Amino acid sequence: MRTAPSGPLPGFRSERLGACRCQRSSAMDILRPTLIRIGGRVYRKNLVHEQVHQQEEEDEDFYAGPGDCADEPCDAFVVEETEKGFQCRVEVPSPLYKYVIGKKGETKKRLETETRTSISIPKPGVEGEIVITGQQRSGVISARTRIDVLLDSFRKKQPFTHFLSFALNQPAVQEKFLQFKEEVLEKCAKDHGVSSSLFQNPAKLHLTLGTLVLLNEQEIRKACDLLQRCKEDFVDKITGGRPLAVEVAGVEYMNDDPAMTDVLYAKVHMKDGSDRLQVIADQLVERFVASGLMLKEWDRVKLHATVMNTLFRKDPGAEERNDTTAGKSSFKERESFNGRNILKLFEHFYFGEVQLDAVWLSQRFSTDASGYYATSGQLNFC
């Protein structure tokens, strides 16, 4: 039996557009609170003044606010009626159990007390379901909704584990990339910050479409299944069952000042001048965002192949969440380089042509036999 979350949310108010008229305070309208989307629903995060703890991830919790929009109909999840009351099961990756438990079990205890439910959590490291049971359906629904919001918040803090990619590491392109590296070091080595440590591993040249946090085998299978559905729904129609011929040519920088460059990338375009590669990239990301497997970062995918990155200076295997946005702490750790001469001398450098025949679900911090990233799944064009 499908039923709706009701009762007070922990720091959130449900907004069901066109279905429920919730009273909004003028203060909240002014503050424009953050909206969080979970399972097709939109929650508005209220501001809560909390003391900052040393172990913030362990101590953070969500508190119940005044209840409104209670008992609104929804089929977001299933609540089963049992002989002893009601029950709801939640599939949760084991790395996230600790956020439901909280420091010294405080979060779990508070949830159980405030919703009058019992919450059963598998042992650490054991994949399974969190089971919520209670005498009242409304209490079970409230506990489930709070857990969903809680986990969504902490999932966004996890480092990404996988990413969708196009491989650009064909031998001819690798050879041209090594030529580019050699010439840059020969002609621009005296420019501030330029060194061999900045360059990408040629075996790992790629386009990143988007990043994912996949915390167990079930989530990886879900991502692989979605890739195949995308192939059937639109990719085959766009590609015609044939590889996409693309050219990698020219270089550009990410930030505003070429004298303080952190990321230099090679530009990529379809050889026939069409936008098919861009359309496939945008639609894949749109589908993965809609599924909840990926966070929306931009309106459209920026197709680029990183060739130099200051993150590589300290860690040759470093991979950032998104080349176009680095956190403040990341910028503090970076030593930028002067890319003016590189841009002037290599503005139109030709890296070669690539036949793209697959989208890869690549594993972060991994290497396969070819030197590219190990894969968890793929979408083949032909």
Side-chain angles (χ1 to χ4, degrees), residues 307-335:
V307 293
M308 298 175 70
N309 193 326
T310 53
L311 287 179
F312 298 153
R313 195 189 300 277
K314 292 184 177 180
D315 180 6
E319 301 152 56
E320 63 286 4
R321 184 170 185 83
N322 191 308
D323 286 335
T324 58
T325 57
K328 293 181 180 179
S329 60
S330 297
F331 276 115
K332 289 179 181 179
E333 296 169 0
R334 293 185 171 198
E335 179 191 347

mmCIF file of all heavy atoms in Angstrom, residues 307-335:
data_model
loop_
_atom_site.group_PDB
_atom_site.id
_atom_site.type_symbol
_atom_site.label_atom_id
_atom_site.label_comp_id
_atom_site.label_asym_id
_atom_site.label_seq_id
_atom_site.Cartn_x
_atom_site.Cartn_y
_atom_site.Cartn_z
ATOM 1 N N VAL A 307 44.329 18.517 -20.117
ATOM 2 C CA VAL A 307 45.694 18.128 -20.503
ATOM 3 C C VAL A 307 46.735 18.588 -19.478
ATOM 4 O O VAL A 307 47.787 17.970 -19.326
ATOM 5 C CB VAL A 307 46.069 18.664 -21.907
ATOM 6 C CG1 VAL A 307 45.226 17.983 -22.970
ATOM 7 C CG2 VAL A 307 45.921 20.179 -21.985
ATOM 8 N N MET A 308 46.410 19.674 -18.758
ATOM 9 C CA MET A 308 47.292 20.154 -17.688
ATOM 10 C C MET A 308 46.420 20.588 -16.507
ATOM 11 O O MET A 308 45.389 21.220 -16.698
ATOM 12 C CB MET A 308 48.141 21.344 -18.165
ATOM 13 C CG MET A 308 49.082 21.020 -19.309
ATOM 14 S SD MET A 308 49.965 22.503 -19.937
ATOM 15 C CE MET A 308 51.069 22.851 -18.563
ATOM 16 N N ASN A 309 46.853 20.242 -15.314
ATOM 17 C CA ASN A 309 46.053 20.541 -14.127
ATOM 18 C C ASN A 309 46.992 20.702 -12.937
ATOM 19 O O ASN A 309 47.837 19.831 -12.684
ATOM 20 C CB ASN A 309 45.055 19.411 -13.863
ATOM 21 C CG ASN A 309 43.995 19.775 -12.847
ATOM 22 O OD1 ASN A 309 44.268 20.519 -11.904
ATOM 23 N ND2 ASN A 309 42.797 19.259 -13.022
ATOM 24 N N THR A 310 46.844 21.792 -12.199
ATOM 25 C CA THR A 310 47.731 22.019 -11.057
ATOM 26 C C THR A 310 47.499 21.015 -9.934
ATOM 27 O O THR A 310 48.356 20.863 -9.062
ATOM 28 C CB THR A 310 47.560 23.450 -10.510
ATOM 29 O OG1 THR A 310 46.173 23.688 -10.230
ATOM 30 C CG2 THR A 310 48.056 24.472 -11.507
ATOM 31 N N LEU A 311 46.369 20.320 -9.935
ATOM 32 C CA LEU A 311 46.153 19.278 -8.937
ATOM 33 C C LEU A 311 47.129 18.123 -9.127
ATOM 34 O O LEU A 311 47.467 17.410 -8.177
ATOM 35 C CB LEU A 311 44.721 18.743 -9.012
ATOM 36 C CG LEU A 311 43.614 19.642 -8.490
ATOM 37 C CD1 LEU A 311 42.269 18.968 -8.664
ATOM 38 C CD2 LEU A 311 43.832 19.981 -7.015
ATOM 39 N N PHE A 312 47.581 17.923 -10.384
ATOM 40 C CA PHE A 312 48.513 16.836 -10.667
ATOM 41 C C PHE A 312 49.900 17.105 -10.091
ATOM 42 O O PHE A 312 50.723 16.202 -9.977
ATOM 43 C CB PHE A 312 48.651 16.610 -12.177
ATOM 44 C CG PHE A 312 47.374 16.208 -12.855
ATOM 45 C CD1 PHE A 312 47.172 16.501 -14.206
ATOM 46 C CD2 PHE A 312 46.374 15.545 -12.179
ATOM 47 C CE1 PHE A 312 46.001 16.128 -14.846
ATOM 48 C CE2 PHE A 312 45.192 15.175 -12.802
ATOM 49 C CZ PHE A 312 45.007 15.462 -14.144
ATOM 50 N N ARG A 313 50.158 18.360 -9.738
ATOM 51 C CA ARG A 313 51.499 18.736 -9.278
ATOM 52 C C ARG A 313 51.881 17.959 -8.017
ATOM 53 O O ARG A 313 53.005 17.467 -7.889
ATOM 54 C CB ARG A 313 51.549 20.244 -9.000
ATOM 55 C CG ARG A 313 52.960 20.785 -8.867
ATOM 56 C CD ARG A 313 52.930 22.234 -8.387
ATOM 57 N NE ARG A 313 52.220 23.131 -9.282
ATOM 58 C CZ ARG A 313 52.744 23.686 -10.369
ATOM 59 N NH1 ARG A 313 53.975 23.395 -10.725
ATOM 60 N NH2 ARG A 313 52.033 24.518 -11.103
ATOM 61 N N LYS A 314 50.919 17.829 -7.095
ATOM 62 C CA LYS A 314 51.189 17.114 -5.849
ATOM 63 C C LYS A 314 50.776 15.646 -5.921
ATOM 64 O O LYS A 314 51.326 14.800 -5.225
ATOM 65 C CB LYS A 314 50.454 17.790 -4.683
ATOM 66 C CG LYS A 314 50.998 19.159 -4.330
ATOM 67 C CD LYS A 314 50.291 19.717 -3.100
ATOM 68 C CE LYS A 314 50.882 21.062 -2.709
ATOM 69 N NZ LYS A 314 50.213 21.625 -1.502
ATOM 70 N N ASP A 315 49.782 15.368 -6.759
ATOM 71 C CA ASP A 315 49.275 13.995 -6.853
ATOM 72 C C ASP A 315 48.963 13.674 -8.307
ATOM 73 O O ASP A 315 47.943 14.106 -8.831
ATOM 74 C CB ASP A 315 48.023 13.836 -5.996
ATOM 75 C CG ASP A 315 47.456 12.418 -6.046
ATOM 76 O OD1 ASP A 315 48.106 11.540 -6.652
ATOM 77 O OD2 ASP A 315 46.375 12.207 -5.479
ATOM 78 N N PRO A 316 49.817 12.909 -8.984
ATOM 79 C CA PRO A 316 49.599 12.588 -10.395
ATOM 80 C C PRO A 316 48.281 11.860 -10.654
ATOM 81 O O PRO A 316 47.757 11.896 -11.764
ATOM 82 C CB PRO A 316 50.792 11.678 -10.737
ATOM 83 C CG PRO A 316 51.832 12.027 -9.729
ATOM 84 C CD PRO A 316 51.077 12.355 -8.479
ATOM 85 N N GLY A 317 47.731 11.227 -9.628
ATOM 86 C CA GLY A 317 46.472 10.501 -9.803
ATOM 87 C C GLY A 317 45.264 11.300 -9.371
ATOM 88 O O GLY A 317 44.156 10.783 -9.305
ATOM 89 N N ALA A 318 45.458 12.572 -9.057
ATOM 90 C CA ALA A 318 44.362 13.396 -8.552
ATOM 91 C C ALA A 318 43.297 13.602 -9.614
ATOM 92 O O ALA A 318 43.588 13.763 -10.787
ATOM 93 C CB ALA A 318 44.895 14.754 -8.086
ATOM 94 N N GLU A 319 42.054 13.551 -9.167
ATOM 95 C CA GLU A 319 40.932 13.849 -10.051
ATOM 96 C C GLU A 319 39.961 14.701 -9.257
ATOM 97 O O GLU A 319 39.547 14.330 -8.169
ATOM 98 C CB GLU A 319 40.237 12.560 -10.493
ATOM 99 C CG GLU A 319 41.153 11.612 -11.229
ATOM 100 C CD GLU A 319 40.709 10.184 -11.050
ATOM 101 O OE1 GLU A 319 39.563 9.888 -11.364
ATOM 102 O OE2 GLU A 319 41.509 9.383 -10.569
ATOM 103 N N GLU A 320 39.610 15.857 -9.783
ATOM 104 C CA GLU A 320 38.737 16.763 -9.080
ATOM 105 C C GLU A 320 37.285 16.491 -9.434
ATOM 106 O O GLU A 320 36.992 15.879 -10.443
ATOM 107 C CB GLU A 320 39.087 18.220 -9.398
ATOM 108 C CG GLU A 320 38.917 18.610 -10.851
ATOM 109 C CD GLU A 320 39.987 18.057 -11.734
ATOM 110 O OE1 GLU A 320 40.841 17.289 -11.256
ATOM 111 O OE2 GLU A 320 39.954 18.360 -12.937
ATOM 112 N N ARG A 321 36.391 16.963 -8.600
ATOM 113 C CA ARG A 321 34.956 16.739 -8.836
ATOM 114 C C ARG A 321 34.522 17.381 -10.141
ATOM 115 O O ARG A 321 33.772 16.822 -10.920
ATOM 116 C CB ARG A 321 34.134 17.314 -7.680
ATOM 117 C CG ARG A 321 32.642 17.025 -7.840
ATOM 118 C CD ARG A 321 31.865 17.365 -6.592
ATOM 119 N NE ARG A 321 30.483 16.966 -6.736
ATOM 120 C CZ ARG A 321 30.016 15.732 -6.530
ATOM 121 N NH1 ARG A 321 30.824 14.766 -6.195
ATOM 122 N NH2 ARG A 321 28.738 15.450 -6.671
ATOM 123 N N ASN A 322 34.988 18.568 -10.392
ATOM 124 C CA ASN A 322 34.658 19.232 -11.650
ATOM 125 C C ASN A 322 35.737 20.249 -11.938
ATOM 126 O O ASN A 322 36.032 21.094 -11.111
ATOM 127 C CB ASN A 322 33.292 19.921 -11.552
ATOM 128 C CG ASN A 322 32.791 20.397 -12.898
ATOM 129 O OD1 ASN A 322 33.494 21.093 -13.620
ATOM 130 N ND2 ASN A 322 31.579 20.022 -13.239
ATOM 131 N N ASP A 323 36.352 20.170 -13.116
ATOM 132 C CA ASP A 323 37.438 21.087 -13.450
ATOM 133 C C ASP A 323 37.021 22.546 -13.344
ATOM 134 O O ASP A 323 37.835 23.410 -13.073
ATOM 135 C CB ASP A 323 37.911 20.835 -14.890
ATOM 136 C CG ASP A 323 38.726 19.554 -14.986
ATOM 137 O OD1 ASP A 323 39.298 19.156 -13.965
ATOM 138 O OD2 ASP A 323 38.756 18.960 -16.079
ATOM 139 N N THR A 324 35.739 22.826 -13.583
ATOM 140 C CA THR A 324 35.308 24.216 -13.661
ATOM 141 C C THR A 324 35.036 24.825 -12.300
ATOM 142 O O THR A 324 34.924 26.027 -12.174
ATOM 143 C CB THR A 324 34.025 24.329 -14.503
ATOM 144 O OG1 THR A 324 33.012 23.512 -13.927
ATOM 145 C CG2 THR A 324 34.289 23.883 -15.922
ATOM 146 N N THR A 325 34.908 23.997 -11.263
ATOM 147 C CA THR A 325 34.656 24.537 -9.927
ATOM 148 C C THR A 325 35.497 23.799 -8.914
ATOM 149 O O THR A 325 35.308 22.633 -8.676
ATOM 150 C CB THR A 325 33.179 24.387 -9.519
ATOM 151 O OG1 THR A 325 32.826 22.996 -9.591
ATOM 152 C CG2 THR A 325 32.280 25.192 -10.415
ATOM 153 N N ALA A 326 36.405 24.493 -8.300
ATOM 154 C CA ALA A 326 37.182 23.893 -7.222
ATOM 155 C C ALA A 326 36.868 24.633 -5.942
ATOM 156 O O ALA A 326 36.642 25.828 -5.932
ATOM 157 C CB ALA A 326 38.678 23.987 -7.525
ATOM 158 N N GLY A 327 36.839 23.917 -4.841
ATOM 159 C CA GLY A 327 36.529 24.535 -3.565
ATOM 160 C C GLY A 327 37.618 25.496 -3.137
ATOM 161 O O GLY A 327 38.741 25.486 -3.658
ATOM 162 N N LYS A 328 37.307 26.323 -2.167
ATOM 163 C CA LYS A 328 38.287 27.309 -1.712
ATOM 164 C C LYS A 328 39.547 26.630 -1.214
ATOM 165 O O LYS A 328 40.649 27.081 -1.456
ATOM 166 C CB LYS A 328 37.660 28.167 -0.608
ATOM 167 C CG LYS A 328 36.525 29.044 -1.100
ATOM 168 C CD LYS A 328 35.969 29.882 0.035
ATOM 169 C CE LYS A 328 34.827 30.775 -0.430
ATOM 170 N NZ LYS A 328 34.272 31.577 0.659
ATOM 171 N N SER A 329 39.361 25.501 -0.502
ATOM 172 C CA SER A 329 40.531 24.822 0.034
ATOM 173 C C SER A 329 41.406 24.294 -1.091
ATOM 174 O O SER A 329 42.635 24.283 -1.001
ATOM 175 C CB SER A 329 40.097 23.662 0.939
ATOM 176 O OG SER A 329 39.331 22.727 0.204
ATOM 177 N N SER A 330 40.786 23.863 -2.199
ATOM 178 C CA SER A 330 41.547 23.348 -3.325
ATOM 179 C C SER A 330 42.398 24.448 -3.942
ATOM 180 O O SER A 330 43.547 24.233 -4.309
ATOM 181 C CB SER A 330 40.614 22.752 -4.382
ATOM 182 O OG SER A 330 39.910 21.646 -3.861
ATOM 183 N N PHE A 331 41.825 25.643 -4.077
ATOM 184 C CA PHE A 331 42.579 26.739 -4.667
ATOM 185 C C PHE A 331 43.762 27.119 -3.775
ATOM 186 O O PHE A 331 44.817 27.479 -4.269
ATOM 187 C CB PHE A 331 41.670 27.952 -4.884
ATOM 188 C CG PHE A 331 40.894 27.893 -6.160
ATOM 189 C CD1 PHE A 331 39.515 27.809 -6.152
ATOM 190 C CD2 PHE A 331 41.559 27.908 -7.377
ATOM 191 C CE1 PHE A 331 38.805 27.745 -7.344
ATOM 192 C CE2 PHE A 331 40.855 27.855 -8.573
ATOM 193 C CZ PHE A 331 39.477 27.776 -8.554
ATOM 194 N N LYS A 332 43.585 27.057 -2.465
ATOM 195 C CA LYS A 332 44.678 27.394 -1.561
ATOM 196 C C LYS A 332 45.835 26.412 -1.732
ATOM 197 O O LYS A 332 46.990 26.779 -1.568
ATOM 198 C CB LYS A 332 44.172 27.366 -0.108
ATOM 199 C CG LYS A 332 43.230 28.508 0.239
ATOM 200 C CD LYS A 332 42.765 28.404 1.676
ATOM 201 C CE LYS A 332 41.808 29.527 2.034
ATOM 202 N NZ LYS A 332 41.316 29.421 3.433
ATOM 203 N N GLU A 333 45.514 25.163 -2.028
ATOM 204 C CA GLU A 333 46.540 24.144 -2.147
ATOM 205 C C GLU A 333 47.215 24.178 -3.523
ATOM 206 O O GLU A 333 48.258 23.583 -3.721
ATOM 207 C CB GLU A 333 45.924 22.761 -1.916
ATOM 208 C CG GLU A 333 45.383 22.581 -0.507
ATOM 209 C CD GLU A 333 44.552 21.324 -0.378
ATOM 210 O OE1 GLU A 333 44.411 20.614 -1.389
ATOM 211 O OE2 GLU A 333 44.053 21.055 0.716
ATOM 212 N N ARG A 334 46.621 24.859 -4.487
ATOM 213 C CA ARG A 334 47.148 24.869 -5.845
ATOM 214 C C ARG A 334 48.214 25.934 -6.048
ATOM 215 O O ARG A 334 48.151 27.016 -5.453
ATOM 216 C CB ARG A 334 46.013 25.099 -6.850
ATOM 217 C CG ARG A 334 45.020 23.964 -6.939
ATOM 218 C CD ARG A 334 44.020 24.234 -8.037
ATOM 219 N NE ARG A 334 43.184 23.063 -8.276
ATOM 220 C CZ ARG A 334 42.464 22.871 -9.381
ATOM 221 N NH1 ARG A 334 42.490 23.777 -10.329
ATOM 222 N NH2 ARG A 334 41.748 21.791 -9.520
ATOM 223 N N GLU A 335 49.152 25.615 -6.911
ATOM 224 C CA GLU A 335 50.126 26.598 -7.364
ATOM 225 C C GLU A 335 49.862 26.805 -8.852
ATOM 226 O O GLU A 335 50.188 25.955 -9.679
ATOM 227 C CB GLU A 335 51.555 26.102 -7.151
ATOM 228 C CG GLU A 335 52.602 27.097 -7.635
ATOM 229 C CD GLU A 335 54.003 26.491 -7.675
ATOM 230 O OE1 GLU A 335 54.196 25.413 -7.101
ATOM 231 O OE2 GLU A 335 54.890 27.118 -8.317
#
